[in-house]
Amino acid sequence: MAAALAVTGCTSQSSGPSKVSSSSGGPAPGDSRTPSHSAPPRSPSTSAATSGKTPGGGSASGAGRTPSSRPPGQGAGFPHCSPGTLSASLRQLEAAAGNRYAALVLTNTSDRPCRTQGWPGLQLTSEGGGRIPTETARDRAHEAQPITLKPDDRAWSRLHWTVVSSSGDAADGSCPTPGALRIIPPDERHSLGTGWDLGTVCAKGRIQATALSTGEGPAH
């Protein structure tokens, strides 16, 4: 696409439905971090203050540092999973009357781990890349959890939409048939894409998406 999408995918801190629009986009916002509390001043009479050594012989330079609040194994220190480190694919799941489902799978194609958490942002497009009205609604079937993807690891989101026209769709009852889907990973502003061969999307492009989970979802 000539222009990147300018809203981020959604982290677990946000709520309510989100709409996706396009613009030139900018760098992803940085993480907000709480500075660690400094240690209380040491008494000048202590040997550590005068010699820089702890009584046991170790250096005192790390004394008083606050440990990371992020639990071990939850991706502390790894970069966010960005469009440049991911590939995307869609797999159709079992349908119901008027309802369609698919597994959106994101794969870490880089050579190092990355971290993610939350809901993806979505934008339907035509085969030529033109935007089709789209609304991404967060499905809260389960809460977002921190995920660390090692190289070749996968995370997935279940997508749900309707093929039954409603108010807001064309007067003749027809609905758009997208040719591709753009995906904005959580905490990112730019997108990656995959083809769409899953048929029409009604209700003004409303798609419910669950928070990303590890794995690639059910087979059907």
Side-chain angles (χ1 to χ4, degrees), residues 98-121:
N99 296 284
R100 299 292 183 268
Y101 301 89
L104 168 64
V105 181
L106 301 179
T107 302
N108 181 2
T109 56
S110 72
D111 59 0
R112 63 174 298 182
C114 64
R115 59 189 170 93
T116 190
Q117 179 180 0
W119 289 260

Side-chain angles (χ1 to χ4, degrees), residues 33 101-102 135 217:
R33 300 179 184 274
Y101 301 89
E135 178 187 351

Side-chain angles (χ1 to χ4, degrees), residues 99-185:
N99 296 284
R100 299 292 183 268
Y101 301 89
L104 168 64
V105 181
L106 301 179
T107 302
N108 181 2
T109 56
S110 72
D111 59 0
R112 63 174 298 182
C114 64
R115 59 189 170 93
T116 190
Q117 179 180 0
W119 289 260
L122 306 173
Q123 174 67 64
L124 297 167
T125 72
S126 65
E127 289 185 359
R131 290 188 301 125
I132 294 174
T134 308
E135 178 187 351
T136 306
R138 288 182 286 279
D139 182 339
R140 296 186 178 276
H142 58 82
E143 289 301 314
Q145 298 294 329
I147 298 172
T148 299
L149 297 180
K150 295 182 291 187
D152 297 323
D153 278 356
R154 294 169 174 83
W156 78 289
S157 171
R158 190 191 71 165
L159 307 186
H160 170 214
W161 67 98
T162 181
V163 294
V164 178
S165 62
S166 60
S167 60
D169 290 321
D172 63 2
S174 62
C175 300
T177 301
L181 177 69
R182 305 296 300 181
I183 304 102
I184 311 171

Side-chain angles (χ1 to χ4, degrees), residues 2-219:
L5 303 176
V7 300
T8 61
C10 305
T11 67
S12 62
Q13 302 301 319
S14 58
S15 61
S18 62
K19 294 188 178 180
V20 177
S21 60
S22 66
S23 77
S24 60
D31 293 338
S32 58
R33 300 179 184 274
T34 304
S36 59
H37 297 290
S38 59
R42 294 176 178 270
S43 170
S45 62
T46 64
S47 60
T50 56
S51 67
K53 301 288 184 178
T54 62
S59 171
S61 60
R65 291 179 181 173
T66 302
S68 170
S69 61
R70 194 180 294 271
Q74 292 191 353
F78 294 132
H80 288 296
C81 297
S82 66
T85 63
L86 298 170
S87 66
S89 64
L90 287 168
R91 186 177 68 257
Q92 189 166 13
L93 302 177
E94 185 174 357
N99 296 284
R100 299 292 183 268
Y101 301 89
L104 168 64
V105 181
L106 301 179
T107 302
N108 181 2
T109 56
S110 72
D111 59 0
R112 63 174 298 182
C114 64
R115 59 189 170 93
T116 190
Q117 179 180 0
W119 289 260
L122 306 173
Q123 174 67 64
L124 297 167
T125 72
S126 65
E127 289 185 359
R131 290 188 301 125
I132 294 174
T134 308
E135 178 187 351
T136 306
R138 288 182 286 279
D139 182 339
R140 296 186 178 276
H142 58 82
E143 289 301 314
Q145 298 294 329
I147 298 172
T148 299
L149 297 180
K150 295 182 291 187
D152 297 323
D153 278 356
R154 294 169 174 83
W156 78 289
S157 171
R158 190 191 71 165
L159 307 186
H160 170 214
W161 67 98
T162 181
V163 294
V164 178
S165 62
S166 60
S167 60
D169 290 321
D172 63 2
S174 62
C175 300
T177 301
L181 177 69
R182 305 296 300 181
I183 304 102
I184 311 171
D187 296 305
E188 293 292 323
R189 290 181 177 271
H190 299 284
S191 67
L192 68 157
T194 187
W196 179 281
D197 59 1
L198 304 176
T200 60
V201 180
C202 294
K204 298 184 289 186
R206 187 175 191 270
I207 302 177
Q208 287 184 303
T210 59
L212 289 170
S213 301
T214 56
E216 54 188 25

